[in-house]
Amino acid sequence: MKVVTVIGARPQFIKAAAVSRVLRSEARVSEVLVHTGQHYDENMSTVFFDQLGIPAPERHLNIGSGTHGLQTGRMLEAVEQVLLQEQPDWLLVYGDTNSTLAGALAAAKLHVPVAHVEAGLRSFNRRMPEEINRVLTDHASDVLFAPTSVAVENLRREGIADERIVQVGDVMYDAALYFGNKAELESRVLETLDLRPGAYVLATVHRAENTDALERLHAIVDGLIAVAADMPVVLPLHPRTRGVLERAGMLERASQCMYLIPPVGYLDMIKLEKNACLIATDSGGVQKEAYFYGVPCVTFRDETEWVELVETGWNRLVAPVSAHKIRDAILSQRGTQGADLQLYGEGDAGRRITNALMEWK
């Protein structure tokens, strides 16, 4: 069985690490890893392959950045050529990026069966490009690997047949279990930044809904600066976010009040997450990682696809409409704990996905 796996962004590298490790342990499975180049910065791409033990991609498309239409179109054209040459049994995609949608569309039009990992997630906000990507990918896929029962029900409500849906748990939980101890042993990021465990807030901001709306970005940055008056705030800056802050005249003030650092590798990120007193983010994956490590979370969004984290008390949504609301949400969520529930499976999603692909008729 030949599987072509299409990835392109940091969260997908983490997910692919959990599944590719199992796929490549099977003698009758061959995997062709295709990197679209959606994330091409050294700190957001190469370092993840090195630290996660992901084999070097067999194909690197070098697409780079661009508008959604330009980027997706170039990926679609390039992935189509790979599929015509490789003739795989499966096309495997992860999550909700432009790489995900381009891979799924290219395969569906060539009648290559599509498997979507992290299927069924819904924020119900069609203004988010990620929501469009995940919905279209689900409906183009032949098998949908859902992480939770909520995701399964979302797919059923949209008319997707039960025989196409497989609940497998969350591959990011696989990765958290596998790499958590490694990060504690190998990462020295706390020493480098002179941070005490449990005495800082870790923040990330990268979604277009926040970086492209200056009033929202101002509220987030000013709110984090207000929090920094009480405790250190560490903010690894996505290159696009740094550029927006600089153009808007916010970068210098933020750098005077917070630890603004370049994007960090996966092991350093785990170490920062595990030892934070609270995580504040607009990332879907980081919300889950906070839960995996028992750290309370505040999310700078109007809604989230990981609704169970909010319902069980691990995450608190706050619309970034004012610095005051951001500050109050972070300080009030600090020190809280959610319900003691196993939300994302047993840490064997990679094995379940591999078995399902090998056994699919």
Side-chain angles (χ1 to χ4, degrees), residues 241-257:
T241 307
R242 177 178 286 275
V244 174
L245 290 175
E246 190 167 16
R247 290 190 296 272
M250 290 186 273
L251 185 61
E252 183 176 354
R253 178 165 171 255
S255 64
Q256 292 172 350
C257 301

Side-chain angles (χ1 to χ4, degrees), residues 39-290:
H39 277 178
Y40 49 87
D41 181 272
E42 177 77 16
N43 287 333
M44 299 187 70
S45 180
T46 306
V47 69
F48 280 85
F49 283 81
D50 294 342
Q51 292 185 352
L52 294 169
I54 306 172
E58 283 77 13
R59 303 292 189 98
H60 202 307
L61 306 182
N62 296 306
I63 301 300
S65 59
T67 64
H68 286 291
L70 175 65
Q71 189 181 62
T72 307
R74 291 180 64 199
M75 290 174 181
L76 177 58
E77 180 181 18
V79 173
E80 180 182 62
Q81 292 304 309
V82 172
L83 295 176
L84 288 170
Q85 294 164 16
E86 295 290 346
Q87 296 292 307
D89 299 291
W90 286 100
L91 183 285
L92 184 63
V93 289
Y94 296 84
D96 55 17
T97 70
N98 290 341
S99 300
T100 307
L101 179 59
L105 287 176
K109 288 177 179 292
L110 293 174
H111 308 294
V112 174
V114 178
H116 184 201
V117 177
E118 212 171 72
L121 303 185
R122 297 294 181 266
S123 68
F124 303 102
N125 178 0
R126 291 295 181 97
R127 292 181 60 83
M128 294 174 59
E130 295 88 354
E131 183 78 352
I132 299 300
N133 290 344
R134 63 174 71 105
V135 171
L136 293 178
T137 299
D138 280 343
H139 285 268
S141 296
D142 297 272
V143 57
L144 299 101
F145 292 120
T148 66
S149 58
V150 172
V152 170
E153 289 307 312
N154 287 338
L155 295 170
R156 286 173 174 163
R157 281 196 298 269
E158 293 176 11
I160 293 176
D162 279 356
E163 57 265 26
R164 292 168 57 195
I165 304 170
V166 184
Q167 185 175 340
V168 294
D170 196 308
V171 292
M172 287 190 71
Y173 186 44
D174 292 23
L177 294 177
Y178 189 84
F179 291 104
N181 288 335
K182 182 178 174 69
E184 285 293 340
L185 292 172
E186 296 185 14
S187 172
R188 295 293 177 266
V189 67
L190 297 190
E191 293 86 346
T192 299
L193 296 176
D194 194 23
L195 295 170
R196 288 190 298 110
Y200 63 90
V201 169
L202 174 66
T204 73
V205 185
H206 78 278
R207 284 193 181 268
E209 65 190 274
N210 289 327
T211 60
D212 293 352
L214 284 182
E215 66 279 8
R216 292 172 71 96
L217 189 58
H218 265 292
I220 292 170
V221 171
D222 289 345
L224 291 174
I225 288 173
V227 172
D230 289 336
M231 72 190 82
V233 175
V234 181
L235 178 58
L237 272 183
H238 187 287
R240 180 161 51 83
T241 307
R242 177 178 286 275
V244 174
L245 290 175
E246 190 167 16
R247 290 190 296 272
M250 290 186 273
L251 185 61
E252 183 176 354
R253 178 165 171 255
S255 64
Q256 292 172 350
C257 301
M258 294 184 280
Y259 291 75
L260 299 191
I261 62 175
V264 296
Y266 185 52
L267 297 183
D268 283 347
M269 189 63 177
I270 289 177
K271 187 71 171 280
L272 286 169
E273 288 172 342
K274 291 183 73 173
N275 289 280
C277 70
L278 180 135
I279 294 172
T281 186
D282 60 7
S283 163
V286 174
Q287 293 173 46
K288 286 186 299 173
E289 287 169 341

